[in-house]
């Protein structure tokens, strides 16, 4: 399935720019609420490491299960460049999100999907309050940046199956977040489906794996945590991964309130049915894209099961896990939406109006739902955090919100030294 490197039409570029910028609407409309947010949890830990190790030394240290020098360079550099302004950090997070929304649309157009599918997927990915934690906590920029490079890598592969550009993006994805090691594997899978001779397919498949293998090896060597104990918890790991895959993002998007194995089974069956239909209905580049997105969604769930199996099961639908699930799911949902529209026995104008009405109604509903989510989130991550760290003289004996091993005294030292506000 080797295809030429076709340029994006100019009209597509402008539409994608506009739809990407539209993802900023919740942040613009509710900016006053976002201003309440403050440095929280791992962010204090990272700044403490910068202070103790020095910036350039710190970049090359592993953080939790991540070896992410690219993210650290950008995140830590922003902390210093913008003099500790948390609101500016959130602006950068949202700009990355807008870029990802535009890139997802570009990828879908490269695969040949119509605008109805693209706009449907972009609306839900871009505007859902389910991404609250990802878009309201700057340290989650690591996962977002990894998605940015993954989308660039997949788009480059669809345009030209073999080349160094996808490999470079795969390396950047892996160096931005630990689950970015999946990107090289996705490229390898995609190259195997190309139309070139078998030897060429195999050689490029192995080449695309190189960045992921190297970064995974570095993580294994540098990360201090011992993951050998996973061998005794394969059942818990599989359960966590299964629940994560089956429930996200549909549990939130469909406002399902039930819980348990029955819900997992029903939503999982719904998701697998959509995947099966999409694989059968798609052809060419689109089928290749769907294969890679399904593999990404499954791989993400497997890695989460390995890394988070000791968490309680409700954590499987945490807000921080919605972002990747939406990337893997929404293009398939958009494809189904466009096919359903095409099956209607109406004229093209009526179908266009109906598609616009559905996307607009869904967008307005999601936009209206942000305040109810922001109230509790900004109180916990903003108002209360500021009170404890900055204002309450009795808080000196407390631990820092979200990071129990750091004292308030140390946090206040960092606030003063790095002008955190």
């Amino acid at each position: 399935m080797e295809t030429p490197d076709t340029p994006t039409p100019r009209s597509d570029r402008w539409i994608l720019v506009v739809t990407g910028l539209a993802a900023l609407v919740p942040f613009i409309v509710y900016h006053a609420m976002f201003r309440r947010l403050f440095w929280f949890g791992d962010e204090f830990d990272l700044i403490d490491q910068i202070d103790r190790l020095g910036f350039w030394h710190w970049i090359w240290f592993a953080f939790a299960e991540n070896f992410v020098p690219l993210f650290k360079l950008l995140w830590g550099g922003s902390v210093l460049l913008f003099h500790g302004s948390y609101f500016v950090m959130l602006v950068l997070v949202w700009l990355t999100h807008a870029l990802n929304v535009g890139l997802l649309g570009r990828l879908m157009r490269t695969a040949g999907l119509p605008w109805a599918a693209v706009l449907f997927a972009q609306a839900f990915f871009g505007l859902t309050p389910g991404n609250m934690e990802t878009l309201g906590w700057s340290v989650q920029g690591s996962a977002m940046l990894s998605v940015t490079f993954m989308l660039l890598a997949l788009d480059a592969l669809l345009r030209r199956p073999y080349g160094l550009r996808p490999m470079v993006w795969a390396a950047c994805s892996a160096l931005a977040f630990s689950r970015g090691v999946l990107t090289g594997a996705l490229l390898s899978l995609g190259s195997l489906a190309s139309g070139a001779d078998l030897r060429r397919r195999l050689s490029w498949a192995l080449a695309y794996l190189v960045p992921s293998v190297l970064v995974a090896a570095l993580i294994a060597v540098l990360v201090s945590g011992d993951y050998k104990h996973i061998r005794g918890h394969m059942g818990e790991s599989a359960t966590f991964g299964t629940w994560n895959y089956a429930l996200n993002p549909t549990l939130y998007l469909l406002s399902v309130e039930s819980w348990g194995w029955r819900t997992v089974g029903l939503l999982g069956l719904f998701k697998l049915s959509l995947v099966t239909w999409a694989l059968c209905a798609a052809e060419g580049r689109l089928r290749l894209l769907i294969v890679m997105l399904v593999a990404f969604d499954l791989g993400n769930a497997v890695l989460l099961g390995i890394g988070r199996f000791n968490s309680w099961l409700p954590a499987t639908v945490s807000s921080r896990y919605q972002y990747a699930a939406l990337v893997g799911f929404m293009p398939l949902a958009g494809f189904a939406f466009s096919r359903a529209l095409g099956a209607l026995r109406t004229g093209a104008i009526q179908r266009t109006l109906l598609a616009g009405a559905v996307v607009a109604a869904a967008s307005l509903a999601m936009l209206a739902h942000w305040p109810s989510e922001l109230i509790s989130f900004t109180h916990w991550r903003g108002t209360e955090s500021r009170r404890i760290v900055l204002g309450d003289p009795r808080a000196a004996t407390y631990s820092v919100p979200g990071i129990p091993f750091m004292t308030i005294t140390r946090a206040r030292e960092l606030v003063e030294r790095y002008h955190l506000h």
Side-chain angles (χ1 to χ4, degrees):
M1 197 200 68
E2 191 164 6
T3 54
D5 190 356
T6 53
T8 303
R10 181 173 297 181
S11 59
D12 275 23
R13 294 176 191 170
W14 283 109
I15 295 173
L16 293 172
V17 168
V18 171
T19 54
L21 292 175
L24 299 174
V25 170
F27 186 69
I28 294 171
V29 172
Y30 304 115
H31 66 91
M33 299 184 76
F34 279 101
R35 282 188 177 275
R36 300 173 187 171
L37 291 170
F38 189 61
W39 304 91
F40 180 88
D42 289 343
E43 293 163 331
F44 272 111
D45 187 23
L46 289 173
I47 296 172
D48 177 61
Q49 291 177 30
I50 292 174
D51 190 64
R52 290 186 290 103
L53 301 173
F55 182 80
W56 296 109
H57 198 196
W58 162 75
I59 284 176
W60 303 104
F61 267 71
F63 174 62
E65 70 275 16
N66 301 283
F67 176 68
V68 288
L70 180 57
F71 167 70
K72 283 187 169 185
L73 176 65
L74 297 174
W75 186 87
S78 297
V79 172
L80 301 178
L81 180 63
F82 298 108
H83 306 289
S85 171
Y86 199 68
F87 185 73
V88 173
M89 298 296 287
L90 291 180
V91 169
L92 297 176
V93 165
W94 277 84
L95 288 175
T96 304
H97 176 55
L99 175 61
N100 286 348
V101 172
L103 288 175
L104 181 66
R106 184 174 187 259
L107 178 61
M108 293 176 68
R109 290 294 288 167
T110 300
L113 282 165
W115 279 111
V118 172
L119 297 178
F120 184 86
Q122 285 183 309
F124 281 91
F125 175 49
L127 299 176
T128 175
N131 285 327
M132 176 70 69
E133 187 172 19
T134 300
L135 298 174
W137 194 21
S138 75
V139 77
Q140 285 294 309
S142 177
M144 294 175 61
L145 194 62
S146 178
V147 167
T148 302
F149 293 121
M150 184 193 78
L151 294 174
L152 288 167
L154 298 188
D155 187 76
L157 183 78
L158 290 185
R159 291 169 184 269
R160 186 178 293 277
Y162 309 117
L164 293 178
R165 187 167 54 177
M167 193 182 302
V168 171
W169 294 136
C172 291
S173 181
L175 293 172
F177 188 57
S178 60
R179 288 196 295 277
V181 298
L182 290 172
T183 301
L186 300 180
L187 295 178
S188 181
L189 178 63
S191 69
L192 289 173
S194 70
D197 63 85
L198 180 60
R199 181 178 295 179
R200 191 180 187 194
R201 279 185 283 166
L202 289 175
S203 61
W204 276 101
L206 292 173
Y208 285 141
L209 280 175
V210 169
S212 295
V213 171
L214 290 177
V215 174
L218 282 170
I219 291 173
V221 171
L222 297 175
V223 171
S224 58
D226 181 9
Y227 291 99
K228 293 180 180 179
H229 62 289
I230 185 67
R231 296 173 184 173
H233 298 275
M234 296 299 290
E236 294 97 317
S237 177
T239 299
F240 193 95
T242 299
W243 283 52
N244 177 271
Y245 178 78
L247 296 178
N248 295 318
T250 50
L251 185 83
Y252 184 88
L253 292 180
L254 300 178
S255 300
V256 176
E257 296 182 356
S258 62
W259 185 254
W261 277 109
R262 182 178 180 182
T263 302
V264 171
L266 290 174
L267 291 182
L269 181 61
F270 168 73
K271 191 171 186 177
L272 291 175
S273 298
L274 176 62
V275 167
T276 303
W277 171 85
L279 288 172
C280 293
E283 298 177 349
R285 283 181 174 181
L286 179 56
R287 178 176 290 173
L288 177 58
L289 173 61
I290 290 173
V291 166
M292 292 189 292
L293 290 177
V294 171
F296 167 69
D297 202 4
L298 284 168
N300 183 65
V302 169
L303 291 180
L304 280 172
I306 293 172
R308 297 289 181 265
F309 71 89
N310 54 353
S311 302
W312 63 327
L313 283 178
T316 58
V317 292
S318 170
S319 178
R320 72 178 68 178
Y321 300 146
Q322 300 305 305
Y323 205 81
L326 286 162
V327 171
F329 179 83
M330 287 316 304
L332 280 68
F335 178 35
F337 175 68
S338 65
R339 280 297 182 90
L341 280 175
L344 296 177
R345 295 182 178 180
T346 58
I349 294 178
Q350 289 86 347
R351 289 196 296 270
T352 300
L353 291 175
L354 177 59
V358 170
V359 171
S363 298
L364 290 174
M366 288 184 287
L367 188 62
H369 192 55
W370 273 90
S372 61
E373 301 277 356
L374 277 168
I375 289 173
S376 59
F377 186 81
T378 56
H379 175 75
W380 172 38
R381 298 291 188 95
T383 306
E384 189 66 10
S385 183
R386 287 178 186 273
R387 182 189 69 80
I388 293 174
V389 175
L390 301 179
D392 189 348
R394 299 169 299 176
T397 58
Y398 301 171
S399 61
V400 177
I403 182 165
F405 60 80
M406 182 178 290
T407 66
I408 293 296
T409 301
R410 177 55 175 163
R412 289 175 176 171
E413 291 175 1
L414 296 173
V415 166
E416 184 174 353
R417 187 168 301 170
Y418 294 92
H419 314 289
L420 304 181
H421 61 285

